[in-house]
């Protein structure tokens, strides 16, 4: 029986075996940005331990010293205040909080992902004529697309960068928000559909590192990782040459095929890329005939499209819900999309022959309210009109 008790705890040691395969990339980074983030993390933790450790030790000491069975402990029922003790209790945490605040303020501004790098590593500033490598990143379901606009190539689930050269990532997403993270290179940054985010980083040591999606995005999330290859300039040029030799073109139809959900996609490359593809992804207009967000915002800034916009609504046949295999119409209506605007000839054929539609359009700019009763004051008589079209030049209102 004694022998059994002696080895009874050994099975619990098996739970520690998987930890042997862990790699402390956050605490052993290969890039200057990640190293500075590591230093900020370690320094902040040590500062907080200056309070946490003494409190934990004193908790044990007080519990032992003032337990009921210890008759040697001093009993002072009239004690209620100590200025020295209050000073230590409040001053020490306050100083640590001030120090942590200063470190966090300086660190977060110096390590702002949008801020261009000012150094390659400690003691090696970025030369004034250094141009960062541009890499456009698209978070897809469930894979990563990397576009190199200067080299004119693209890759899936694999990226390569030269060592000691700043890299500027420009990121977006296709359907849902995701998070781009290379622990050995730089911090995490979100990628969101219809938006463009930035991340600056650098590798200081060659090697193969792991990039992950650190934000849950669906059933294929666990396989949404990629290889990050860091090498010298010759190795990077060789990687680019292999991508070009592999052939393949990433145009809009091919991108729409890749955009469909797929899991555990092996690395692949494309020798040629549509130069406008990434901007179309950001503006959510890769589909043929779909209006871009930039165009829509420009039209809205001009006051909208009025009557001409009524013919630019068509059924959406490739929305994100259908791509994921589920239809999720909003409020019961079928999905729709805004199509690119027709040519003047199309507009003339549709509206030019109709006298009812070719009458002088009403200027809707002075519209001050829509389906809302006008405000009532203490000395203002009530009005029965729900919509008021005010003419600023005459100071008169037209009742409907």
């Amino acid at each position: 029986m004694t022998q059994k008790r002696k080895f009874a705890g050994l099975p619990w040691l098996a739970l520690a075996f998987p930890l042997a395969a862990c790699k402390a990339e956050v605490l052993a980074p290969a890039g200057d940005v990640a190293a500075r983030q590591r230093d900020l993390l370690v320094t902040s933790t040590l500062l907080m331990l200056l309070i946490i450790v003494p409190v934990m030790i004193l908790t044990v000491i007080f519990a032992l010293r003032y337990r009921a069975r210890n008759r040697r402990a001093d009993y002072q029922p009239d004690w209620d205040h100590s200025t020295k003790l209050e000073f230590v209790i409040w001053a020490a945490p306050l100083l640590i909080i001030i120090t942590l605040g200063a470190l966090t303020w300086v660190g977060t501004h110096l390590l702002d992902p949008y801020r261009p790098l000012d150094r390659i590593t400690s003691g090696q500033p970025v030369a004034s004529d250094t141009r960062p490598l541009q890499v456009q990143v698209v978070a897809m379901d469930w894979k990563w697309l990397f576009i190199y606009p200067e080299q004119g190539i693209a890759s899936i689930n694999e990226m390569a960068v030269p060592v000691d050269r700043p890299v500027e990532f420009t990121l977006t997403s296709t359907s849902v928000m995701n998070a781009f993270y290379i622990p050995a290179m730089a911090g995490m940054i979100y990628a969101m559909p219809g938006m463009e985010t930035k991340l600056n980083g650098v590798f200081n040591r060659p090697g193969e590192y792991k990039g992950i999606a650190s934000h849950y995005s669906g059933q294929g999330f666990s396989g949404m990782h990629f290889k990050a290859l860091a090498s010298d300039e010759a190795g990077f040029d060789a990687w680019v040459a292999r991508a070009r030799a592999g052939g393949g073109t990433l145009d809009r139809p091919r991108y729409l095929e890749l955009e469909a959900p797929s899991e555990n996609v092996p690395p692949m490359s494309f020798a040629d890329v549509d130069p406008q593809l990434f901007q179309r992804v950001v503006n959510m207009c890769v589909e043929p005939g779909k209006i871009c967000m930039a165009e829509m915002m420009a039209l809205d800034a001009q006051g909208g499209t009025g009557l001409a916009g009524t013919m630019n609504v068509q059924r959406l046949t490739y929305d994100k819900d259908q791509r994921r295999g589920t239809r999720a119409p909003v409020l019961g209506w079928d999905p729709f999309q805004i199509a690119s605007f027709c040519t003047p000839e199309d507009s003339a054929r549709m509206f030019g022959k109709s006298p009812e539609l070719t009458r002088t359009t009403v200027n809707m700019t002075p519209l001050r309210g829509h389906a809302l009763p006008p405000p009532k004051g203490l000395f203002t008589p009530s009005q029965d009109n729900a919509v008021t079209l005010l003419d600023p030049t005459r100071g008169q209102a037209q009742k409907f």
Side-chain angles (χ1 to χ4, degrees):
M1 179 64 89
T2 304
Q3 194 72 11
K4 290 183 179 180
R5 290 179 179 178
K6 183 177 180 180
F7 296 99
L10 290 181
W12 293 99
L13 295 177
L15 298 177
F17 289 158
L19 297 177
C22 292
K23 184 178 180 181
E25 292 190 67
V26 175
L27 299 178
D32 182 69
V33 176
R36 294 160 76 179
Q37 291 174 337
R38 183 269 319 272
D39 295 341
L40 179 62
L41 175 65
V42 172
T43 303
S44 301
T45 303
L46 292 177
L47 283 173
M48 289 183 285
L49 288 176
L50 292 178
I51 290 295
I52 296 174
V53 172
V55 168
M56 296 178 67
I57 294 175
L58 289 174
T59 300
V60 176
I61 292 176
F62 289 163
L64 293 175
R65 181 176 177 82
Y66 296 103
R67 66 190 187 275
R69 290 181 297 175
N70 185 11
R71 299 301 179 181
R72 293 178 298 175
D74 296 334
Y75 178 63
Q76 300 179 7
D78 298 327
W79 183 90
D80 60 0
H81 180 74
S82 172
T83 303
K84 294 180 180 179
L85 186 59
E86 290 286 342
F87 179 80
V88 173
I89 291 175
W90 289 102
L94 183 60
L95 290 175
I96 291 177
I97 290 173
I98 293 174
T99 306
L100 279 173
L103 286 174
T104 305
W105 174 268
V106 175
T108 51
H109 282 77
L110 288 177
L111 300 174
D112 183 356
Y114 281 74
R115 185 173 181 265
L117 300 185
D118 57 356
R119 73 182 200 184
I120 301 298
T121 186
S122 179
Q124 183 182 353
V126 177
S128 58
D129 58 345
T130 300
R131 295 177 63 250
L133 176 66
Q134 301 291 327
V135 181
Q136 298 169 342
V137 184
V138 181
M140 310 173 76
D141 293 333
W142 285 272
K143 49 196 168 289
W144 293 95
L145 170 64
F146 301 94
I147 301 175
Y148 293 77
E150 297 176 1
Q151 290 74 22
I153 62 172
S155 63
I156 295 288
N157 285 343
E158 182 177 280
M159 57 159 281
V161 296
V163 171
D164 291 338
R165 180 178 176 182
V167 181
E168 183 182 47
F169 296 99
T170 307
L171 305 101
T172 189
S173 179
T174 55
S175 60
V176 298
M177 183 172 69
N178 220 304
F180 177 83
Y181 189 25
I182 306 177
M185 183 185 192
M188 182 192 72
I189 188 72
Y190 279 103
M192 292 166 279
M195 297 182 64
E196 186 178 294
T197 53
K198 298 282 188 180
L199 175 66
N200 288 272
V202 64
F203 272 120
N204 300 127
R205 293 201 311 266
E208 180 179 318
Y209 305 95
K210 187 175 183 179
I212 60 174
S214 54
H215 187 102
Y216 182 74
S217 59
Q219 65 183 32
F221 161 76
S222 59
M224 193 175 174
H225 48 77
F226 61 91
K227 296 179 181 179
L229 308 176
S231 60
D232 55 11
E233 288 287 348
F236 174 71
D237 292 339
W239 183 83
V240 172
R242 288 195 298 271
R244 289 173 176 167
T249 300
L250 183 59
D251 51 11
R252 294 166 64 183
R254 182 70 175 109
Y255 172 85
L256 293 175
E257 294 177 2
L258 289 172
E259 195 182 23
S262 56
E263 302 180 30
N264 302 315
V265 178
M268 65 178 71
S269 61
F270 301 90
D272 189 27
V273 182
D274 182 353
Q276 300 297 326
L277 180 61
F278 183 77
Q279 290 304 321
R280 285 190 171 275
V281 175
V282 174
N283 284 276
M284 305 178 73
C285 58
V286 180
E287 295 88 348
K290 188 176 181 182
I291 192 172
C292 295
M293 286 197 312
E295 183 183 358
M296 183 181 293
M297 288 187 289
L299 293 170
D300 291 341
Q302 297 172 5
T305 59
L307 190 61
T310 59
M311 63 175 165
N312 291 286
V313 179
Q314 68 178 27
R315 294 287 293 263
L316 175 63
T317 59
Y318 200 72
D319 66 330
K320 71 174 184 180
D321 298 310
Q322 287 178 317
R323 291 198 297 273
R324 288 194 163 199
T326 59
R327 286 186 63 83
V330 179
L331 299 179
W333 293 96
D334 290 335
F336 66 91
Q337 76 177 22
I338 306 301
S340 294
F341 275 74
C342 304
T343 63
E345 293 77 10
D346 295 333
S347 300
R349 282 197 299 267
M350 184 169 186
F351 292 115
K353 305 247 179 179
S354 175
E356 293 81 7
L357 298 177
T358 55
R359 292 179 299 184
T360 304
T361 58
V362 179
N363 182 12
M364 304 299 291
T365 304
L367 190 64
R368 298 294 186 236
H370 181 69
L372 295 174
K376 300 178 183 179
L378 293 176
F379 306 100
T380 304
S382 61
Q383 300 178 5
D384 57 354
N385 61 309
V387 180
T388 301
L389 185 62
L390 182 64
D391 187 353
T393 59
R394 300 181 181 179
Q396 299 177 351
Q398 175 186 352
K399 293 187 177 181
F400 291 87

